[in-house]
Amino acid sequence: MQDATYSPWSAMTWPEILERIDGGCDGVILPLGATEQHGPHLGTGMDSVLSEEVCRAAGKATGVPVLPTLPYGCSIGHSHRWPGTIALSPTTMIAVLCDMGDWLYKSGIRRCFLVNGHVGNQSAIGCALDTLRCRYDDMMVSNINTGNITPAIEATFSADADDWHGNAAETSLMMALSPKMVRMNELTSADDPDRTGECVFFHPVNRTSTNGVTGRPSESSEIAGKQLFQELVSALSKLVEKGLKEKPPLDASYDERV
């Protein structure tokens, strides 16, 4: 249900934020991205653009304020082989998310939808989530990844590579959302296969890809990107709406002893 009064967090004044929270809207959406190489054909901000655009659309659909995007993430697995990556250490990202959670809690936020556009952020987000739910018994924090919100979306992202990066799905999304991010003249030569299928270990990208890509961006299209984006927005909006109504399975707090 679209909220005609929707505004992003950064455009709201403190009285407006207070009014929204006092009125029962105790949730926010936080887009999490990265600044990292995406092969010779995609801009380094691809993950951040995707997360921000999906969250913005879901925010408009649900009326939940969207926080400013965190454009840096845990990209240390991409090595230093290709310039352009600017990464946070996992401990730094955990600290940043926990600091943000502290301030959001003091503002009255009790539902924080973390929406992640970069697979490498997953572990740090999980640690931050655990820390915040231990620190604040009544704060609910989600860990939503754009690449696997639904089985169908996950299948689309992994259609050309299980360990995908800069592939057809991501390239198609940027064709639809931010064409300036795509170098069309590089698409036909950017394909690089997934070499991780039989691996026991998680190798850095410089040990698995020749150009920073895993997948077939040559198979991308703007039409496919628009369709996938709408699926992402619909799935995220449904999750947010469901989360706004969710209550803990048990009505008990950490200070209640048996």
Side-chain angles (χ1 to χ4, degrees):
M1 180 172 60
Q2 187 168 0
D3 185 347
T5 63
Y6 166 80
S7 291
W9 184 274
S10 59
M12 298 169 70
T13 65
W14 74 258
E16 292 167 346
I17 291 173
L18 180 61
E19 181 181 9
R20 185 69 67 94
I21 294 172
D22 287 347
C25 182
D26 63 351
V28 293
I29 301 172
L30 173 58
L32 300 171
T35 299
E36 62 177 29
Q37 70 82 20
H38 266 77
H41 67 295
L42 279 182
T44 58
M46 184 268 146
D47 291 334
S48 298
V49 170
L50 173 59
S51 184
E52 181 170 315
E53 293 299 326
V54 171
C55 289
R56 181 184 299 167
K60 290 180 179 179
T62 62
V64 177
V66 178
L67 295 169
T69 303
L70 184 63
Y72 299 104
C74 295
S75 303
I76 54 179
H78 282 272
S79 77
H80 298 284
R81 179 173 181 177
W82 303 282
T85 299
I86 302 175
L88 302 179
S89 69
T91 53
T92 297
M93 187 166 186
I94 293 167
V96 168
L97 292 176
C98 288
D99 283 351
M100 294 179 70
D102 289 341
W103 284 91
L104 288 169
Y105 188 87
K106 297 300 182 183
S107 291
I109 297 299
R110 296 295 181 269
R111 302 168 194 269
C112 191
F113 300 92
L114 303 184
V115 182
N116 178 33
H118 169 52
V119 175
N121 291 337
Q122 179 71 8
S123 296
I125 294 172
C127 290
L129 186 157
D130 278 349
T131 301
L132 288 170
R133 70 177 179 174
C134 179
R135 188 176 295 172
Y136 304 111
D137 187 67
D138 59 339
M139 188 177 195
M140 291 175 279
V141 186
S142 74
N143 187 353
I144 302 169
N145 291 282
T146 55
N148 61 6
I149 295 182
T150 68
I153 288 173
E154 183 174 16
T156 299
F157 269 94
S158 60
D160 56 347
D162 289 332
D163 189 33
W164 48 268
H165 188 254
N167 66 336
E170 291 197 320
T171 305
S172 295
L173 283 164
M174 288 303 100
M175 285 180 175
L177 299 175
S178 184
K180 65 181 180 181
M181 300 283 287
V182 185
R183 306 297 182 266
M184 300 296 294
N185 61 319
E186 297 285 352
L187 291 186
T188 56
S189 60
D191 292 2
D192 206 58
D194 187 348
R195 300 178 175 88
T196 65
E198 302 299 323
C199 292
V200 174
F201 299 103
F202 291 88
H203 300 278
V205 180
N206 61 302
R207 295 285 186 171
T208 63
S209 174
T210 62
N211 62 357
V213 174
T214 304
R216 297 188 296 273
S218 65
E219 299 178 358
S220 58
S221 73
E222 181 180 354
I223 293 175
K226 288 181 177 179
Q227 179 178 341
L228 179 54
F229 179 71
Q230 291 305 317
E231 292 175 11
L232 285 165
V233 173
S234 176
L236 178 57
S237 298
K238 289 177 182 177
L239 281 179
V240 171
E241 288 179 344
K242 181 179 179 182
L244 291 174
K245 302 173 184 176
E246 184 169 305
K247 295 182 179 180
L250 295 176
D251 185 14
S253 63
Y254 69 92
D255 56 352
E256 293 176 347
R257 298 291 184 259
V258 175

